[in-house]
Amino acid sequence: MALHPEYQSKCRKEIDDLMEIKSEKLEWDDLAKLPYLTMCVKESLRLRGPVPSIRRVTTRPLKFPDGRLVPEGTVISVVIDALHHNPHVWSDPMTYDPKRFSPENIKSIPPFAFIPFSAGPRNCIGQNFALNEAKMVTAIILRNFYLSLDESPPPAYNLVLRSPKGIHVTVKPRNI
């Protein structure tokens, strides 16, 4: 969000509008009332997901429709980052565009094209909690602060995405 102040402002307005009506602390049930924030969090997860790739081992032979066979015991890697940047699925895949996840557009996203927490029987059992937690934390931060980027090296890809020298963001308190 620090890279995109225009989207940060739209999210902040949505949060402020909700809090004007509520005039209490943000609660878990309020997250459903923040659709634009949800779109931005999902787009952030698409561009820089928490897990860049996963590996699985086939437990039985896998036959593709064209006849090719993957034997049992084969290690298969799924590069989630590549999937989330696939130009055959995502137009202009390197551009931050939260509208990809609007109610109208989300219907056209193929089922396994967006899998920030993996997919299938071995997916993250806490993915709904993780997504809601990300939305809650983002909403609280944007409610109270302005964010801007302090240029630093890009994150390094390991098992989990993390920056080798930390994430440098300038945080400026808001007067609410």
Side-chain angles (χ1 to χ4, degrees), residues 38-39 42 90 98-111 114:
T38 301
M39 291 167 25
K42 286 183 176 182
W90 309 98
K99 286 182 279 179
R100 297 178 205 276
F101 293 96
S102 68
E104 314 80 61
N105 293 333
I106 203 162
K107 296 172 191 160
S108 65
I109 300 172
F114 177 66

PDB file of all heavy atoms in Angstrom, residues 38-39 42 90 98-111 114:
ATOM      1  N   THR A  38     -10.585  -5.260   0.866  1.00  0.00           N
ATOM      2  CA  THR A  38     -10.426  -6.684   0.532  1.00  0.00           C
ATOM      3  C   THR A  38      -9.790  -6.845  -0.842  1.00  0.00           C
ATOM      4  O   THR A  38      -8.874  -7.646  -1.019  1.00  0.00           O
ATOM      5  CB  THR A  38     -11.797  -7.399   0.575  1.00  0.00           C
ATOM      6  OG1 THR A  38     -12.344  -7.265   1.890  1.00  0.00           O
ATOM      7  CG2 THR A  38     -11.669  -8.872   0.218  1.00  0.00           C
ATOM      8  N   MET A  39     -10.249  -6.064  -1.806  1.00  0.00           N
ATOM      9  CA  MET A  39      -9.678  -6.124  -3.158  1.00  0.00           C
ATOM     10  C   MET A  39      -8.193  -5.769  -3.128  1.00  0.00           C
ATOM     11  O   MET A  39      -7.375  -6.426  -3.789  1.00  0.00           O
ATOM     12  CB  MET A  39     -10.441  -5.173  -4.098  1.00  0.00           C
ATOM     13  CG  MET A  39     -11.850  -5.632  -4.386  1.00  0.00           C
ATOM     14  SD  MET A  39     -12.976  -4.424  -5.194  1.00  0.00           S
ATOM     15  CE  MET A  39     -11.965  -3.311  -6.064  1.00  0.00           C
ATOM     16  N   LYS A  42      -6.118  -8.606  -1.474  1.00  0.00           N
ATOM     17  CA  LYS A  42      -5.976  -9.738  -2.396  1.00  0.00           C
ATOM     18  C   LYS A  42      -4.996  -9.418  -3.526  1.00  0.00           C
ATOM     19  O   LYS A  42      -4.186 -10.261  -3.904  1.00  0.00           O
ATOM     20  CB  LYS A  42      -7.340 -10.146  -2.966  1.00  0.00           C
ATOM     21  CG  LYS A  42      -8.186 -10.885  -1.955  1.00  0.00           C
ATOM     22  CD  LYS A  42      -9.498 -11.341  -2.560  1.00  0.00           C
ATOM     23  CE  LYS A  42     -10.297 -12.173  -1.576  1.00  0.00           C
ATOM     24  NZ  LYS A  42     -11.552 -12.658  -2.162  1.00  0.00           N
ATOM     25  N   TRP A  90      -3.689 -13.026 -16.165  1.00  0.00           N
ATOM     26  CA  TRP A  90      -3.755 -11.676 -15.624  1.00  0.00           C
ATOM     27  C   TRP A  90      -3.279 -10.676 -16.675  1.00  0.00           C
ATOM     28  O   TRP A  90      -2.125 -10.722 -17.069  1.00  0.00           O
ATOM     29  CB  TRP A  90      -2.869 -11.550 -14.385  1.00  0.00           C
ATOM     30  CG  TRP A  90      -3.115 -12.620 -13.362  1.00  0.00           C
ATOM     31  CD1 TRP A  90      -2.391 -13.769 -13.188  1.00  0.00           C
ATOM     32  CD2 TRP A  90      -4.157 -12.661 -12.391  1.00  0.00           C
ATOM     33  NE1 TRP A  90      -2.916 -14.501 -12.170  1.00  0.00           N
ATOM     34  CE2 TRP A  90      -4.009 -13.850 -11.657  1.00  0.00           C
ATOM     35  CE3 TRP A  90      -5.198 -11.792 -12.072  1.00  0.00           C
ATOM     36  CZ2 TRP A  90      -4.857 -14.203 -10.623  1.00  0.00           C
ATOM     37  CZ3 TRP A  90      -6.045 -12.156 -11.038  1.00  0.00           C
ATOM     38  CH2 TRP A  90      -5.881 -13.329 -10.324  1.00  0.00           C
ATOM     39  N   PRO A  98      -6.312  -3.450  -8.003  1.00  0.00           N
ATOM     40  CA  PRO A  98      -7.280  -4.104  -7.119  1.00  0.00           C
ATOM     41  C   PRO A  98      -8.600  -4.458  -7.798  1.00  0.00           C
ATOM     42  O   PRO A  98      -9.302  -5.367  -7.349  1.00  0.00           O
ATOM     43  CB  PRO A  98      -7.511  -3.078  -6.005  1.00  0.00           C
ATOM     44  CG  PRO A  98      -6.376  -2.138  -6.092  1.00  0.00           C
ATOM     45  CD  PRO A  98      -5.904  -2.138  -7.501  1.00  0.00           C
ATOM     46  N   LYS A  99      -8.932  -3.772  -8.898  1.00  0.00           N
ATOM     47  CA  LYS A  99     -10.200  -4.055  -9.587  1.00  0.00           C
ATOM     48  C   LYS A  99     -10.262  -5.485 -10.114  1.00  0.00           C
ATOM     49  O   LYS A  99     -11.340  -5.980 -10.420  1.00  0.00           O
ATOM     50  CB  LYS A  99     -10.432  -3.052 -10.716  1.00  0.00           C
ATOM     51  CG  LYS A  99     -10.835  -1.674 -10.203  1.00  0.00           C
ATOM     52  CD  LYS A  99     -11.100  -0.722 -11.334  1.00  0.00           C
ATOM     53  CE  LYS A  99      -9.764  -0.202 -11.793  1.00  0.00           C
ATOM     54  NZ  LYS A  99      -9.721   0.702 -12.875  1.00  0.00           N
ATOM     55  N   ARG A 100      -9.123  -6.152 -10.217  1.00  0.00           N
ATOM     56  CA  ARG A 100      -9.127  -7.568 -10.635  1.00  0.00           C
ATOM     57  C   ARG A 100     -10.021  -8.389  -9.710  1.00  0.00           C
ATOM     58  O   ARG A 100     -10.569  -9.404 -10.109  1.00  0.00           O
ATOM     59  CB  ARG A 100      -7.717  -8.162 -10.547  1.00  0.00           C
ATOM     60  CG  ARG A 100      -6.688  -7.555 -11.426  1.00  0.00           C
ATOM     61  CD  ARG A 100      -5.346  -8.250 -11.157  1.00  0.00           C
ATOM     62  NE  ARG A 100      -4.210  -7.429 -11.492  1.00  0.00           N
ATOM     63  CZ  ARG A 100      -3.699  -7.321 -12.711  1.00  0.00           C
ATOM     64  NH1 ARG A 100      -4.224  -7.983 -13.697  1.00  0.00           N
ATOM     65  NH2 ARG A 100      -2.649  -6.552 -12.916  1.00  0.00           N
ATOM     66  N   PHE A 101     -10.123  -7.947  -8.431  1.00  0.00           N
ATOM     67  CA  PHE A 101     -10.855  -8.703  -7.431  1.00  0.00           C
ATOM     68  C   PHE A 101     -12.204  -8.076  -7.091  1.00  0.00           C
ATOM     69  O   PHE A 101     -12.790  -8.373  -6.053  1.00  0.00           O
ATOM     70  CB  PHE A 101      -9.987  -8.873  -6.174  1.00  0.00           C
ATOM     71  CG  PHE A 101      -8.801  -9.748  -6.431  1.00  0.00           C
ATOM     72  CD1 PHE A 101      -7.572  -9.192  -6.749  1.00  0.00           C
ATOM     73  CD2 PHE A 101      -8.917 -11.129  -6.410  1.00  0.00           C
ATOM     74  CE1 PHE A 101      -6.473  -9.995  -7.013  1.00  0.00           C
ATOM     75  CE2 PHE A 101      -7.828 -11.938  -6.679  1.00  0.00           C
ATOM     76  CZ  PHE A 101      -6.607 -11.380  -6.979  1.00  0.00           C
ATOM     77  N   SER A 102     -12.706  -7.227  -7.996  1.00  0.00           N
ATOM     78  CA  SER A 102     -14.048  -6.660  -7.805  1.00  0.00           C
ATOM     79  C   SER A 102     -15.068  -7.784  -7.974  1.00  0.00           C
ATOM     80  O   SER A 102     -14.781  -8.800  -8.615  1.00  0.00           O
ATOM     81  CB  SER A 102     -14.309  -5.546  -8.817  1.00  0.00           C
ATOM     82  OG  SER A 102     -14.406  -6.089 -10.115  1.00  0.00           O
ATOM     83  N   PRO A 103     -16.267  -7.614  -7.419  1.00  0.00           N
ATOM     84  CA  PRO A 103     -17.284  -8.667  -7.557  1.00  0.00           C
ATOM     85  C   PRO A 103     -17.556  -9.056  -9.019  1.00  0.00           C
ATOM     86  O   PRO A 103     -17.785 -10.226  -9.319  1.00  0.00           O
ATOM     87  CB  PRO A 103     -18.529  -8.052  -6.913  1.00  0.00           C
ATOM     88  CG  PRO A 103     -17.985  -7.053  -5.941  1.00  0.00           C
ATOM     89  CD  PRO A 103     -16.729  -6.513  -6.583  1.00  0.00           C
ATOM     90  N   GLU A 104     -17.486  -8.081  -9.931  1.00  0.00           N
ATOM     91  CA  GLU A 104     -17.736  -8.387 -11.347  1.00  0.00           C
ATOM     92  C   GLU A 104     -16.588  -9.196 -11.956  1.00  0.00           C
ATOM     93  O   GLU A 104     -16.815 -10.088 -12.770  1.00  0.00           O
ATOM     94  CB  GLU A 104     -17.886  -7.107 -12.188  1.00  0.00           C
ATOM     95  CG  GLU A 104     -18.761  -6.012 -11.645  1.00  0.00           C
ATOM     96  CD  GLU A 104     -18.096  -5.151 -10.579  1.00  0.00           C
ATOM     97  OE1 GLU A 104     -17.069  -4.494 -10.851  1.00  0.00           O
ATOM     98  OE2 GLU A 104     -18.610  -5.154  -9.451  1.00  0.00           O
ATOM     99  N   ASN A 105     -15.360  -8.858 -11.591  1.00  0.00           N
ATOM    100  CA  ASN A 105     -14.189  -9.474 -12.216  1.00  0.00           C
ATOM    101  C   ASN A 105     -13.745 -10.780 -11.573  1.00  0.00           C
ATOM    102  O   ASN A 105     -13.159 -11.625 -12.239  1.00  0.00           O
ATOM    103  CB  ASN A 105     -13.010  -8.491 -12.220  1.00  0.00           C
ATOM    104  CG  ASN A 105     -13.271  -7.311 -13.107  1.00  0.00           C
ATOM    105  OD1 ASN A 105     -14.031  -7.385 -14.067  1.00  0.00           O
ATOM    106  ND2 ASN A 105     -12.658  -6.187 -12.784  1.00  0.00           N
ATOM    107  N   ILE A 106     -14.024 -10.950 -10.305  1.00  0.00           N
ATOM    108  CA  ILE A 106     -13.528 -12.134  -9.593  1.00  0.00           C
ATOM    109  C   ILE A 106     -14.132 -13.420 -10.169  1.00  0.00           C
ATOM    110  O   ILE A 106     -13.507 -14.481 -10.127  1.00  0.00           O
ATOM    111  CB  ILE A 106     -13.759 -12.021  -8.069  1.00  0.00           C
ATOM    112  CG1 ILE A 106     -12.777 -12.918  -7.327  1.00  0.00           C
ATOM    113  CG2 ILE A 106     -15.187 -12.317  -7.685  1.00  0.00           C
ATOM    114  CD1 ILE A 106     -12.620 -12.589  -5.869  1.00  0.00           C
ATOM    115  N   LYS A 107     -15.318 -13.299 -10.754  1.00  0.00           N
ATOM    116  CA  LYS A 107     -15.990 -14.471 -11.342  1.00  0.00           C
ATOM    117  C   LYS A 107     -15.213 -15.037 -12.524  1.00  0.00           C
ATOM    118  O   LYS A 107     -15.317 -16.220 -12.824  1.00  0.00           O
ATOM    119  CB  LYS A 107     -17.399 -14.090 -11.787  1.00  0.00           C
ATOM    120  CG  LYS A 107     -18.307 -13.690 -10.662  1.00  0.00           C
ATOM    121  CD  LYS A 107     -19.619 -13.130 -11.188  1.00  0.00           C
ATOM    122  CE  LYS A 107     -20.395 -12.492 -10.062  1.00  0.00           C
ATOM    123  NZ  LYS A 107     -21.382 -11.560 -10.517  1.00  0.00           N
ATOM    124  N   SER A 108     -14.434 -14.186 -13.195  1.00  0.00           N
ATOM    125  CA  SER A 108     -13.710 -14.644 -14.387  1.00  0.00           C
ATOM    126  C   SER A 108     -12.305 -15.167 -14.079  1.00  0.00           C
ATOM    127  O   SER A 108     -11.602 -15.601 -14.981  1.00  0.00           O
ATOM    128  CB  SER A 108     -13.624 -13.506 -15.415  1.00  0.00           C
ATOM    129  OG  SER A 108     -12.854 -12.447 -14.898  1.00  0.00           O
ATOM    130  N   ILE A 109     -11.893 -15.144 -12.812  1.00  0.00           N
ATOM    131  CA  ILE A 109     -10.580 -15.670 -12.437  1.00  0.00           C
ATOM    132  C   ILE A 109     -10.691 -17.180 -12.324  1.00  0.00           C
ATOM    133  O   ILE A 109     -11.511 -17.688 -11.556  1.00  0.00           O
ATOM    134  CB  ILE A 109     -10.096 -15.057 -11.102  1.00  0.00           C
ATOM    135  CG1 ILE A 109      -9.972 -13.535 -11.204  1.00  0.00           C
ATOM    136  CG2 ILE A 109      -8.766 -15.684 -10.677  1.00  0.00           C
ATOM    137  CD1 ILE A 109      -9.681 -12.843  -9.883  1.00  0.00           C
ATOM    138  N   PRO A 110      -9.881 -17.923 -13.084  1.00  0.00           N
ATOM    139  CA  PRO A 110      -9.933 -19.392 -12.985  1.00  0.00           C
ATOM    140  C   PRO A 110      -9.679 -19.857 -11.539  1.00  0.00           C
ATOM    141  O   PRO A 110      -8.928 -19.211 -10.792  1.00  0.00           O
ATOM    142  CB  PRO A 110      -8.807 -19.853 -13.919  1.00  0.00           C
ATOM    143  CG  PRO A 110      -8.625 -18.718 -14.870  1.00  0.00           C
ATOM    144  CD  PRO A 110      -8.924 -17.470 -14.089  1.00  0.00           C
ATOM    145  N   PRO A 111     -10.293 -20.975 -11.139  1.00  0.00           N
ATOM    146  CA  PRO A 111     -10.245 -21.414  -9.741  1.00  0.00           C
ATOM    147  C   PRO A 111      -8.848 -21.540  -9.123  1.00  0.00           C
ATOM    148  O   PRO A 111      -8.668 -21.237  -7.958  1.00  0.00           O
ATOM    149  CB  PRO A 111     -10.923 -22.781  -9.768  1.00  0.00           C
ATOM    150  CG  PRO A 111     -11.697 -22.822 -11.021  1.00  0.00           C
ATOM    151  CD  PRO A 111     -11.064 -21.869 -11.975  1.00  0.00           C
ATOM    152  N   PHE A 114      -5.402 -17.992  -8.494  1.00  0.00           N
ATOM    153  CA  PHE A 114      -5.061 -17.171  -7.332  1.00  0.00           C
ATOM    154  C   PHE A 114      -5.071 -18.069  -6.104  1.00  0.00           C
ATOM    155  O   PHE A 114      -6.122 -18.438  -5.594  1.00  0.00           O
ATOM    156  CB  PHE A 114      -6.068 -16.024  -7.182  1.00  0.00           C
ATOM    157  CG  PHE A 114      -5.840 -15.174  -5.957  1.00  0.00           C
ATOM    158  CD1 PHE A 114      -4.693 -14.396  -5.829  1.00  0.00           C
ATOM    159  CD2 PHE A 114      -6.773 -15.135  -4.937  1.00  0.00           C
ATOM    160  CE1 PHE A 114      -4.480 -13.610  -4.702  1.00  0.00           C
ATOM    161  CE2 PHE A 114      -6.577 -14.350  -3.811  1.00  0.00           C
ATOM    162  CZ  PHE A 114      -5.428 -13.592  -3.697  1.00  0.00           C
TER     163      PHE A 114
END
